[in-house]
Amino acid sequence: LRNGSCVLPDVVQERPGDLQSEEDKAFSRILEDARGVVHPDAVSYTTMIAICRKEGLYERGFQFIKELEDSKIRKDTVTYNAILAFNSKSYLWESALSVLEEMKRKRVRTDAVTYHTAIQAANRAGKWELTLKLFDQMEEDGFEENAKTVDLWLEAARRLANED
């Protein structure tokens, strides 16, 4: 199922209920209670998507992304970066890269975080040539690499050299 900034998998696994911590259960209760009271904005969606990524609550994260896509709320760089990072951590590299493409198409400002996260998504998927291409795009767009991004570039270059 394709939905704007991410490809929603048919089945997404969250941590089994018996493995959820008390904090996870409390978080879930707070989310359910807040839905009817809070009128979410870009900041609240960005925060919830980031929390879901960090806590491994993938099904909930996909729900928040879908709600955001269905809403009239305008996404900014930070919101797009949160979606990109969520998709990257979920090993949905194609979805992560579609976020970068959507940002460019809609003329939303990208930043070094955007590129680092896209590079990380491509690298996790073993897409070495794409990793190098994104690194080049990042430099062409005037963003400086950091140590982690350079490490990802080096790994991709090394893996490509070993394939030959």
Side-chain angles (χ1 to χ4, degrees), residues 23-60:
E23 291 84 9
D24 290 340
K25 291 176 186 173
F27 176 70
S28 295
R29 284 191 301 273
I30 290 168
L31 290 179
E32 293 308 315
D33 290 346
R35 284 199 187 272
V37 178
V38 176
H39 300 288
D41 59 8
V43 173
S44 58
Y45 275 113
T46 300
T47 302
M48 299 315 293
I49 292 165
I51 290 170
C52 289
R53 175 185 54 83
K54 183 177 183 285
E55 296 299 324
L57 299 170
Y58 298 110
E59 187 173 323
R60 287 208 191 278

PDB file of all heavy atoms in Angstrom, residues 23-60:
ATOM      1  N   GLU A  23       6.530   1.375  30.354  1.00  0.00           N
ATOM      2  CA  GLU A  23       6.583   2.672  29.690  1.00  0.00           C
ATOM      3  C   GLU A  23       5.878   2.608  28.336  1.00  0.00           C
ATOM      4  O   GLU A  23       5.159   3.528  27.957  1.00  0.00           O
ATOM      5  CB  GLU A  23       8.037   3.134  29.495  1.00  0.00           C
ATOM      6  CG  GLU A  23       8.752   3.487  30.778  1.00  0.00           C
ATOM      7  CD  GLU A  23       9.362   2.278  31.490  1.00  0.00           C
ATOM      8  OE1 GLU A  23       9.381   1.161  30.915  1.00  0.00           O
ATOM      9  OE2 GLU A  23       9.802   2.447  32.632  1.00  0.00           O
ATOM     10  N   ASP A  24       6.084   1.498  27.589  1.00  0.00           N
ATOM     11  CA  ASP A  24       5.423   1.347  26.295  1.00  0.00           C
ATOM     12  C   ASP A  24       3.908   1.307  26.463  1.00  0.00           C
ATOM     13  O   ASP A  24       3.166   1.920  25.695  1.00  0.00           O
ATOM     14  CB  ASP A  24       5.866   0.058  25.598  1.00  0.00           C
ATOM     15  CG  ASP A  24       7.296   0.102  25.110  1.00  0.00           C
ATOM     16  OD1 ASP A  24       7.837   1.209  24.966  1.00  0.00           O
ATOM     17  OD2 ASP A  24       7.867  -0.974  24.865  1.00  0.00           O
ATOM     18  N   LYS A  25       3.451   0.588  27.461  1.00  0.00           N
ATOM     19  CA  LYS A  25       2.009   0.485  27.701  1.00  0.00           C
ATOM     20  C   LYS A  25       1.436   1.845  28.088  1.00  0.00           C
ATOM     21  O   LYS A  25       0.361   2.226  27.623  1.00  0.00           O
ATOM     22  CB  LYS A  25       1.733  -0.552  28.782  1.00  0.00           C
ATOM     23  CG  LYS A  25       2.028  -1.972  28.327  1.00  0.00           C
ATOM     24  CD  LYS A  25       1.831  -2.958  29.459  1.00  0.00           C
ATOM     25  CE  LYS A  25       2.278  -4.343  29.037  1.00  0.00           C
ATOM     26  NZ  LYS A  25       2.265  -5.297  30.148  1.00  0.00           N
ATOM     27  N   ALA A  26       2.155   2.585  28.930  1.00  0.00           N
ATOM     28  CA  ALA A  26       1.697   3.923  29.333  1.00  0.00           C
ATOM     29  C   ALA A  26       1.663   4.850  28.124  1.00  0.00           C
ATOM     30  O   ALA A  26       0.717   5.623  27.945  1.00  0.00           O
ATOM     31  CB  ALA A  26       2.612   4.487  30.424  1.00  0.00           C
ATOM     32  N   PHE A  27       2.689   4.773  27.290  1.00  0.00           N
ATOM     33  CA  PHE A  27       2.763   5.579  26.075  1.00  0.00           C
ATOM     34  C   PHE A  27       1.550   5.293  25.191  1.00  0.00           C
ATOM     35  O   PHE A  27       0.893   6.204  24.696  1.00  0.00           O
ATOM     36  CB  PHE A  27       4.071   5.266  25.341  1.00  0.00           C
ATOM     37  CG  PHE A  27       4.230   5.963  24.017  1.00  0.00           C
ATOM     38  CD1 PHE A  27       4.441   7.318  23.952  1.00  0.00           C
ATOM     39  CD2 PHE A  27       4.177   5.238  22.841  1.00  0.00           C
ATOM     40  CE1 PHE A  27       4.586   7.963  22.736  1.00  0.00           C
ATOM     41  CE2 PHE A  27       4.324   5.872  21.622  1.00  0.00           C
ATOM     42  CZ  PHE A  27       4.530   7.231  21.572  1.00  0.00           C
ATOM     43  N   SER A  28       1.224   4.032  25.032  1.00  0.00           N
ATOM     44  CA  SER A  28       0.076   3.646  24.212  1.00  0.00           C
ATOM     45  C   SER A  28      -1.220   4.210  24.773  1.00  0.00           C
ATOM     46  O   SER A  28      -2.068   4.701  24.026  1.00  0.00           O
ATOM     47  CB  SER A  28      -0.027   2.121  24.116  1.00  0.00           C
ATOM     48  OG  SER A  28       1.077   1.607  23.430  1.00  0.00           O
ATOM     49  N   ARG A  29      -1.379   4.166  26.095  1.00  0.00           N
ATOM     50  CA  ARG A  29      -2.590   4.704  26.720  1.00  0.00           C
ATOM     51  C   ARG A  29      -2.683   6.222  26.513  1.00  0.00           C
ATOM     52  O   ARG A  29      -3.752   6.754  26.214  1.00  0.00           O
ATOM     53  CB  ARG A  29      -2.624   4.364  28.212  1.00  0.00           C
ATOM     54  CG  ARG A  29      -3.006   2.912  28.488  1.00  0.00           C
ATOM     55  CD  ARG A  29      -3.295   2.692  29.954  1.00  0.00           C
ATOM     56  NE  ARG A  29      -2.168   3.003  30.818  1.00  0.00           N
ATOM     57  CZ  ARG A  29      -1.197   2.161  31.145  1.00  0.00           C
ATOM     58  NH1 ARG A  29      -1.194   0.931  30.674  1.00  0.00           N
ATOM     59  NH2 ARG A  29      -0.219   2.536  31.945  1.00  0.00           N
ATOM     60  N   ILE A  30      -1.564   6.903  26.656  1.00  0.00           N
ATOM     61  CA  ILE A  30      -1.543   8.358  26.464  1.00  0.00           C
ATOM     62  C   ILE A  30      -1.935   8.706  25.030  1.00  0.00           C
ATOM     63  O   ILE A  30      -2.727   9.619  24.792  1.00  0.00           O
ATOM     64  CB  ILE A  30      -0.150   8.942  26.811  1.00  0.00           C
ATOM     65  CG1 ILE A  30       0.083   8.855  28.317  1.00  0.00           C
ATOM     66  CG2 ILE A  30      -0.022  10.376  26.305  1.00  0.00           C
ATOM     67  CD1 ILE A  30       1.516   9.135  28.734  1.00  0.00           C
ATOM     68  N   LEU A  31      -1.406   7.957  24.071  1.00  0.00           N
ATOM     69  CA  LEU A  31      -1.743   8.211  22.668  1.00  0.00           C
ATOM     70  C   LEU A  31      -3.231   8.055  22.426  1.00  0.00           C
ATOM     71  O   LEU A  31      -3.860   8.888  21.770  1.00  0.00           O
ATOM     72  CB  LEU A  31      -0.979   7.256  21.753  1.00  0.00           C
ATOM     73  CG  LEU A  31       0.510   7.461  21.627  1.00  0.00           C
ATOM     74  CD1 LEU A  31       1.092   6.412  20.693  1.00  0.00           C
ATOM     75  CD2 LEU A  31       0.812   8.841  21.102  1.00  0.00           C
ATOM     76  N   GLU A  32      -3.792   6.989  22.939  1.00  0.00           N
ATOM     77  CA  GLU A  32      -5.213   6.741  22.733  1.00  0.00           C
ATOM     78  C   GLU A  32      -6.057   7.827  23.400  1.00  0.00           C
ATOM     79  O   GLU A  32      -7.039   8.288  22.837  1.00  0.00           O
ATOM     80  CB  GLU A  32      -5.596   5.357  23.252  1.00  0.00           C
ATOM     81  CG  GLU A  32      -4.970   4.216  22.455  1.00  0.00           C
ATOM     82  CD  GLU A  32      -5.215   4.321  20.952  1.00  0.00           C
ATOM     83  OE1 GLU A  32      -6.348   4.609  20.529  1.00  0.00           O
ATOM     84  OE2 GLU A  32      -4.255   4.114  20.189  1.00  0.00           O
ATOM     85  N   ASP A  33      -5.679   8.243  24.601  1.00  0.00           N
ATOM     86  CA  ASP A  33      -6.426   9.284  25.315  1.00  0.00           C
ATOM     87  C   ASP A  33      -6.334  10.628  24.597  1.00  0.00           C
ATOM     88  O   ASP A  33      -7.297  11.396  24.579  1.00  0.00           O
ATOM     89  CB  ASP A  33      -5.907   9.441  26.750  1.00  0.00           C
ATOM     90  CG  ASP A  33      -6.246   8.248  27.618  1.00  0.00           C
ATOM     91  OD1 ASP A  33      -7.098   7.435  27.213  1.00  0.00           O
ATOM     92  OD2 ASP A  33      -5.637   8.115  28.694  1.00  0.00           O
ATOM     93  N   ALA A  34      -5.174  10.928  24.015  1.00  0.00           N
ATOM     94  CA  ALA A  34      -4.939  12.237  23.395  1.00  0.00           C
ATOM     95  C   ALA A  34      -5.639  12.394  22.060  1.00  0.00           C
ATOM     96  O   ALA A  34      -5.952  13.509  21.652  1.00  0.00           O
ATOM     97  CB  ALA A  34      -3.444  12.460  23.214  1.00  0.00           C
ATOM     98  N   ARG A  35      -5.927  11.308  21.386  1.00  0.00           N
ATOM     99  CA  ARG A  35      -6.494  11.402  20.037  1.00  0.00           C
ATOM    100  C   ARG A  35      -7.771  12.229  19.974  1.00  0.00           C
ATOM    101  O   ARG A  35      -7.974  12.972  19.036  1.00  0.00           O
ATOM    102  CB  ARG A  35      -6.749  10.021  19.472  1.00  0.00           C
ATOM    103  CG  ARG A  35      -5.485   9.360  19.030  1.00  0.00           C
ATOM    104  CD  ARG A  35      -5.799   8.237  18.079  1.00  0.00           C
ATOM    105  NE  ARG A  35      -4.597   7.498  17.774  1.00  0.00           N
ATOM    106  CZ  ARG A  35      -3.772   7.821  16.785  1.00  0.00           C
ATOM    107  NH1 ARG A  35      -4.023   8.843  16.042  1.00  0.00           N
ATOM    108  NH2 ARG A  35      -2.700   7.111  16.564  1.00  0.00           N
ATOM    109  N   GLY A  36      -8.629  12.114  20.949  1.00  0.00           N
ATOM    110  CA  GLY A  36      -9.889  12.839  20.907  1.00  0.00           C
ATOM    111  C   GLY A  36      -9.800  14.262  21.432  1.00  0.00           C
ATOM    112  O   GLY A  36     -10.711  15.052  21.228  1.00  0.00           O
ATOM    113  N   VAL A  37      -8.722  14.615  22.101  1.00  0.00           N
ATOM    114  CA  VAL A  37      -8.619  15.908  22.765  1.00  0.00           C
ATOM    115  C   VAL A  37      -7.677  16.855  22.035  1.00  0.00           C
ATOM    116  O   VAL A  37      -7.970  18.022  21.858  1.00  0.00           O
ATOM    117  CB  VAL A  37      -8.138  15.717  24.225  1.00  0.00           C
ATOM    118  CG1 VAL A  37      -7.985  17.043  24.923  1.00  0.00           C
ATOM    119  CG2 VAL A  37      -9.076  14.799  24.977  1.00  0.00           C
ATOM    120  N   VAL A  38      -6.553  16.355  21.615  1.00  0.00           N
ATOM    121  CA  VAL A  38      -5.499  17.171  21.031  1.00  0.00           C
ATOM    122  C   VAL A  38      -5.754  17.350  19.536  1.00  0.00           C
ATOM    123  O   VAL A  38      -6.139  16.407  18.851  1.00  0.00           O
ATOM    124  CB  VAL A  38      -4.116  16.507  21.254  1.00  0.00           C
ATOM    125  CG1 VAL A  38      -3.022  17.283  20.572  1.00  0.00           C
ATOM    126  CG2 VAL A  38      -3.843  16.354  22.723  1.00  0.00           C
ATOM    127  N   HIS A  39      -5.551  18.555  19.044  1.00  0.00           N
ATOM    128  CA  HIS A  39      -5.636  18.821  17.610  1.00  0.00           C
ATOM    129  C   HIS A  39      -4.201  18.884  17.094  1.00  0.00           C
ATOM    130  O   HIS A  39      -3.521  19.898  17.270  1.00  0.00           O
ATOM    131  CB  HIS A  39      -6.386  20.127  17.348  1.00  0.00           C
ATOM    132  CG  HIS A  39      -7.770  20.091  17.886  1.00  0.00           C
ATOM    133  ND1 HIS A  39      -8.769  19.340  17.302  1.00  0.00           N
ATOM    134  CD2 HIS A  39      -8.326  20.668  18.976  1.00  0.00           C
ATOM    135  CE1 HIS A  39      -9.874  19.475  17.999  1.00  0.00           C
ATOM    136  NE2 HIS A  39      -9.636  20.276  19.021  1.00  0.00           N
ATOM    137  N   PRO A  40      -3.737  17.789  16.502  1.00  0.00           N
ATOM    138  CA  PRO A  40      -2.322  17.701  16.141  1.00  0.00           C
ATOM    139  C   PRO A  40      -1.909  18.705  15.074  1.00  0.00           C
ATOM    140  O   PRO A  40      -2.706  19.099  14.227  1.00  0.00           O
ATOM    141  CB  PRO A  40      -2.160  16.275  15.641  1.00  0.00           C
ATOM    142  CG  PRO A  40      -3.522  15.737  15.433  1.00  0.00           C
ATOM    143  CD  PRO A  40      -4.486  16.615  16.145  1.00  0.00           C
ATOM    144  N   ASP A  41      -0.646  19.100  15.159  1.00  0.00           N
ATOM    145  CA  ASP A  41      -0.032  19.955  14.153  1.00  0.00           C
ATOM    146  C   ASP A  41       1.246  19.266  13.683  1.00  0.00           C
ATOM    147  O   ASP A  41       1.529  18.136  14.080  1.00  0.00           O
ATOM    148  CB  ASP A  41       0.235  21.352  14.707  1.00  0.00           C
ATOM    149  CG  ASP A  41       1.156  21.355  15.921  1.00  0.00           C
ATOM    150  OD1 ASP A  41       1.730  20.295  16.259  1.00  0.00           O
ATOM    151  OD2 ASP A  41       1.310  22.420  16.532  1.00  0.00           O
ATOM    152  N   ALA A  42       2.012  19.938  12.832  1.00  0.00           N
ATOM    153  CA  ALA A  42       3.241  19.337  12.294  1.00  0.00           C
ATOM    154  C   ALA A  42       4.211  18.958  13.405  1.00  0.00           C
ATOM    155  O   ALA A  42       4.841  17.902  13.358  1.00  0.00           O
ATOM    156  CB  ALA A  42       3.902  20.290  11.301  1.00  0.00           C
ATOM    157  N   VAL A  43       4.313  19.799  14.428  1.00  0.00           N
ATOM    158  CA  VAL A  43       5.246  19.521  15.528  1.00  0.00           C
ATOM    159  C   VAL A  43       4.824  18.271  16.290  1.00  0.00           C
ATOM    160  O   VAL A  43       5.656  17.413  16.593  1.00  0.00           O
ATOM    161  CB  VAL A  43       5.354  20.734  16.487  1.00  0.00           C
ATOM    162  CG1 VAL A  43       6.182  20.398  17.713  1.00  0.00           C
ATOM    163  CG2 VAL A  43       5.945  21.930  15.753  1.00  0.00           C
ATOM    164  N   SER A  44       3.541  18.129  16.580  1.00  0.00           N
ATOM    165  CA  SER A  44       3.105  16.954  17.340  1.00  0.00           C
ATOM    166  C   SER A  44       3.269  15.682  16.516  1.00  0.00           C
ATOM    167  O   SER A  44       3.712  14.657  17.047  1.00  0.00           O
ATOM    168  CB  SER A  44       1.661  17.113  17.830  1.00  0.00           C
ATOM    169  OG  SER A  44       0.774  17.328  16.771  1.00  0.00           O
ATOM    170  N   TYR A  45       2.960  15.729  15.217  1.00  0.00           N
ATOM    171  CA  TYR A  45       3.181  14.550  14.380  1.00  0.00           C
ATOM    172  C   TYR A  45       4.664  14.213  14.284  1.00  0.00           C
ATOM    173  O   TYR A  45       5.056  13.048  14.375  1.00  0.00           O
ATOM    174  CB  TYR A  45       2.594  14.753  12.980  1.00  0.00           C
ATOM    175  CG  TYR A  45       1.130  14.422  12.888  1.00  0.00           C
ATOM    176  CD1 TYR A  45       0.195  15.410  12.657  1.00  0.00           C
ATOM    177  CD2 TYR A  45       0.681  13.110  13.045  1.00  0.00           C
ATOM    178  CE1 TYR A  45      -1.157  15.118  12.571  1.00  0.00           C
ATOM    179  CE2 TYR A  45      -0.660  12.804  12.963  1.00  0.00           C
ATOM    180  CZ  TYR A  45      -1.578  13.812  12.726  1.00  0.00           C
ATOM    181  OH  TYR A  45      -2.914  13.505  12.643  1.00  0.00           O
ATOM    182  N   THR A  46       5.488  15.214  14.096  1.00  0.00           N
ATOM    183  CA  THR A  46       6.928  14.991  14.019  1.00  0.00           C
ATOM    184  C   THR A  46       7.432  14.332  15.292  1.00  0.00           C
ATOM    185  O   THR A  46       8.203  13.361  15.245  1.00  0.00           O
ATOM    186  CB  THR A  46       7.666  16.331  13.779  1.00  0.00           C
ATOM    187  OG1 THR A  46       7.193  16.896  12.552  1.00  0.00           O
ATOM    188  CG2 THR A  46       9.171  16.144  13.715  1.00  0.00           C
ATOM    189  N   THR A  47       6.990  14.822  16.422  1.00  0.00           N
ATOM    190  CA  THR A  47       7.405  14.268  17.713  1.00  0.00           C
ATOM    191  C   THR A  47       6.949  12.827  17.864  1.00  0.00           C
ATOM    192  O   THR A  47       7.734  11.958  18.270  1.00  0.00           O
ATOM    193  CB  THR A  47       6.843  15.133  18.859  1.00  0.00           C
ATOM    194  OG1 THR A  47       7.307  16.472  18.688  1.00  0.00           O
ATOM    195  CG2 THR A  47       7.267  14.594  20.210  1.00  0.00           C
ATOM    196  N   MET A  48       5.699  12.549  17.527  1.00  0.00           N
ATOM    197  CA  MET A  48       5.173  11.199  17.694  1.00  0.00           C
ATOM    198  C   MET A  48       5.861  10.215  16.749  1.00  0.00           C
ATOM    199  O   MET A  48       6.164   9.091  17.136  1.00  0.00           O
ATOM    200  CB  MET A  48       3.657  11.180  17.484  1.00  0.00           C
ATOM    201  CG  MET A  48       2.888  12.052  18.474  1.00  0.00           C
ATOM    202  SD  MET A  48       3.408  11.904  20.203  1.00  0.00           S
ATOM    203  CE  MET A  48       2.931  10.249  20.557  1.00  0.00           C
ATOM    204  N   ILE A  49       6.125  10.627  15.528  1.00  0.00           N
ATOM    205  CA  ILE A  49       6.824   9.756  14.578  1.00  0.00           C
ATOM    206  C   ILE A  49       8.229   9.460  15.079  1.00  0.00           C
ATOM    207  O   ILE A  49       8.695   8.314  15.030  1.00  0.00           O
ATOM    208  CB  ILE A  49       6.840  10.389  13.165  1.00  0.00           C
ATOM    209  CG1 ILE A  49       5.412  10.422  12.596  1.00  0.00           C
ATOM    210  CG2 ILE A  49       7.796   9.649  12.231  1.00  0.00           C
ATOM    211  CD1 ILE A  49       5.236  11.329  11.384  1.00  0.00           C
ATOM    212  N   ALA A  50       8.909  10.481  15.610  1.00  0.00           N
ATOM    213  CA  ALA A  50      10.262  10.285  16.147  1.00  0.00           C
ATOM    214  C   ALA A  50      10.248   9.343  17.358  1.00  0.00           C
ATOM    215  O   ALA A  50      11.120   8.484  17.495  1.00  0.00           O
ATOM    216  CB  ALA A  50      10.885  11.627  16.517  1.00  0.00           C
ATOM    217  N   ILE A  51       9.260   9.501  18.230  1.00  0.00           N
ATOM    218  CA  ILE A  51       9.163   8.613  19.394  1.00  0.00           C
ATOM    219  C   ILE A  51       8.892   7.180  18.948  1.00  0.00           C
ATOM    220  O   ILE A  51       9.516   6.237  19.453  1.00  0.00           O
ATOM    221  CB  ILE A  51       8.065   9.108  20.365  1.00  0.00           C
ATOM    222  CG1 ILE A  51       8.516  10.402  21.041  1.00  0.00           C
ATOM    223  CG2 ILE A  51       7.737   8.041  21.414  1.00  0.00           C
ATOM    224  CD1 ILE A  51       7.415  11.104  21.821  1.00  0.00           C
ATOM    225  N   CYS A  52       7.995   7.009  18.014  1.00  0.00           N
ATOM    226  CA  CYS A  52       7.699   5.661  17.518  1.00  0.00           C
ATOM    227  C   CYS A  52       8.934   5.019  16.895  1.00  0.00           C
ATOM    228  O   CYS A  52       9.185   3.826  17.084  1.00  0.00           O
ATOM    229  CB  CYS A  52       6.546   5.705  16.516  1.00  0.00           C
ATOM    230  SG  CYS A  52       4.949   6.054  17.277  1.00  0.00           S
ATOM    231  N   ARG A  53       9.716   5.813  16.162  1.00  0.00           N
ATOM    232  CA  ARG A  53      10.966   5.290  15.580  1.00  0.00           C
ATOM    233  C   ARG A  53      11.905   4.844  16.675  1.00  0.00           C
ATOM    234  O   ARG A  53      12.435   3.742  16.649  1.00  0.00           O
ATOM    235  CB  ARG A  53      11.634   6.359  14.717  1.00  0.00           C
ATOM    236  CG  ARG A  53      13.006   5.928  14.169  1.00  0.00           C
ATOM    237  CD  ARG A  53      13.693   7.064  13.416  1.00  0.00           C
ATOM    238  NE  ARG A  53      13.820   8.296  14.152  1.00  0.00           N
ATOM    239  CZ  ARG A  53      14.801   8.563  15.027  1.00  0.00           C
ATOM    240  NH1 ARG A  53      15.738   7.686  15.282  1.00  0.00           N
ATOM    241  NH2 ARG A  53      14.832   9.729  15.647  1.00  0.00           N
ATOM    242  N   LYS A  54      12.083   5.690  17.667  1.00  0.00           N
ATOM    243  CA  LYS A  54      13.024   5.394  18.751  1.00  0.00           C
ATOM    244  C   LYS A  54      12.594   4.175  19.560  1.00  0.00           C
ATOM    245  O   LYS A  54      13.421   3.353  19.950  1.00  0.00           O
ATOM    246  CB  LYS A  54      13.138   6.611  19.669  1.00  0.00           C
ATOM    247  CG  LYS A  54      14.131   6.450  20.800  1.00  0.00           C
ATOM    248  CD  LYS A  54      14.224   7.727  21.619  1.00  0.00           C
ATOM    249  CE  LYS A  54      15.259   7.635  22.709  1.00  0.00           C
ATOM    250  NZ  LYS A  54      14.854   6.840  23.838  1.00  0.00           N
ATOM    251  N   GLU A  55      11.306   4.038  19.778  1.00  0.00           N
ATOM    252  CA  GLU A  55      10.783   2.959  20.618  1.00  0.00           C
ATOM    253  C   GLU A  55      10.437   1.696  19.844  1.00  0.00           C
ATOM    254  O   GLU A  55      10.020   0.704  20.442  1.00  0.00           O
ATOM    255  CB  GLU A  55       9.554   3.451  21.394  1.00  0.00           C
ATOM    256  CG  GLU A  55       9.864   4.558  22.371  1.00  0.00           C
ATOM    257  CD  GLU A  55      10.850   4.143  23.443  1.00  0.00           C
ATOM    258  OE1 GLU A  55      10.810   2.979  23.902  1.00  0.00           O
ATOM    259  OE2 GLU A  55      11.690   4.989  23.818  1.00  0.00           O
ATOM    260  N   GLY A  56      10.590   1.716  18.532  1.00  0.00           N
ATOM    261  CA  GLY A  56      10.282   0.528  17.735  1.00  0.00           C
ATOM    262  C   GLY A  56       8.788   0.268  17.598  1.00  0.00           C
ATOM    263  O   GLY A  56       8.368  -0.861  17.357  1.00  0.00           O
ATOM    264  N   LEU A  57       7.983   1.302  17.728  1.00  0.00           N
ATOM    265  CA  LEU A  57       6.525   1.176  17.598  1.00  0.00           C
ATOM    266  C   LEU A  57       6.139   1.463  16.149  1.00  0.00           C
ATOM    267  O   LEU A  57       5.562   2.506  15.816  1.00  0.00           O
ATOM    268  CB  LEU A  57       5.820   2.132  18.570  1.00  0.00           C
ATOM    269  CG  LEU A  57       6.124   1.887  20.047  1.00  0.00           C
ATOM    270  CD1 LEU A  57       5.587   3.021  20.906  1.00  0.00           C
ATOM    271  CD2 LEU A  57       5.557   0.550  20.491  1.00  0.00           C
ATOM    272  N   TYR A  58       6.469   0.523  15.266  1.00  0.00           N
ATOM    273  CA  TYR A  58       6.363   0.760  13.840  1.00  0.00           C
ATOM    274  C   TYR A  58       4.920   0.893  13.374  1.00  0.00           C
ATOM    275  O   TYR A  58       4.600   1.770  12.576  1.00  0.00           O
ATOM    276  CB  TYR A  58       7.096  -0.332  13.074  1.00  0.00           C
ATOM    277  CG  TYR A  58       8.560  -0.327  13.422  1.00  0.00           C
ATOM    278  CD1 TYR A  58       9.105  -1.359  14.167  1.00  0.00           C
ATOM    279  CD2 TYR A  58       9.378   0.736  13.067  1.00  0.00           C
ATOM    280  CE1 TYR A  58      10.443  -1.339  14.528  1.00  0.00           C
ATOM    281  CE2 TYR A  58      10.703   0.761  13.424  1.00  0.00           C
ATOM    282  CZ  TYR A  58      11.236  -0.276  14.149  1.00  0.00           C
ATOM    283  OH  TYR A  58      12.551  -0.242  14.516  1.00  0.00           O
ATOM    284  N   GLU A  59       4.029   0.060  13.861  1.00  0.00           N
ATOM    285  CA  GLU A  59       2.641   0.149  13.426  1.00  0.00           C
ATOM    286  C   GLU A  59       2.060   1.519  13.776  1.00  0.00           C
ATOM    287  O   GLU A  59       1.415   2.162  12.958  1.00  0.00           O
ATOM    288  CB  GLU A  59       1.815  -0.966  14.066  1.00  0.00           C
ATOM    289  CG  GLU A  59       0.402  -1.034  13.520  1.00  0.00           C
ATOM    290  CD  GLU A  59      -0.348  -2.241  14.038  1.00  0.00           C
ATOM    291  OE1 GLU A  59       0.249  -3.316  14.205  1.00  0.00           O
ATOM    292  OE2 GLU A  59      -1.556  -2.084  14.279  1.00  0.00           O
ATOM    293  N   ARG A  60       2.314   1.981  14.987  1.00  0.00           N
ATOM    294  CA  ARG A  60       1.829   3.302  15.394  1.00  0.00           C
ATOM    295  C   ARG A  60       2.477   4.399  14.553  1.00  0.00           C
ATOM    296  O   ARG A  60       1.817   5.359  14.167  1.00  0.00           O
ATOM    297  CB  ARG A  60       2.111   3.553  16.859  1.00  0.00           C
ATOM    298  CG  ARG A  60       1.213   2.764  17.757  1.00  0.00           C
ATOM    299  CD  ARG A  60       1.020   3.490  19.062  1.00  0.00           C
ATOM    300  NE  ARG A  60       0.376   2.625  20.011  1.00  0.00           N
ATOM    301  CZ  ARG A  60      -0.930   2.420  20.050  1.00  0.00           C
ATOM    302  NH1 ARG A  60      -1.704   3.000  19.175  1.00  0.00           N
ATOM    303  NH2 ARG A  60      -1.451   1.626  20.949  1.00  0.00           N
TER     304      ARG A  60
END
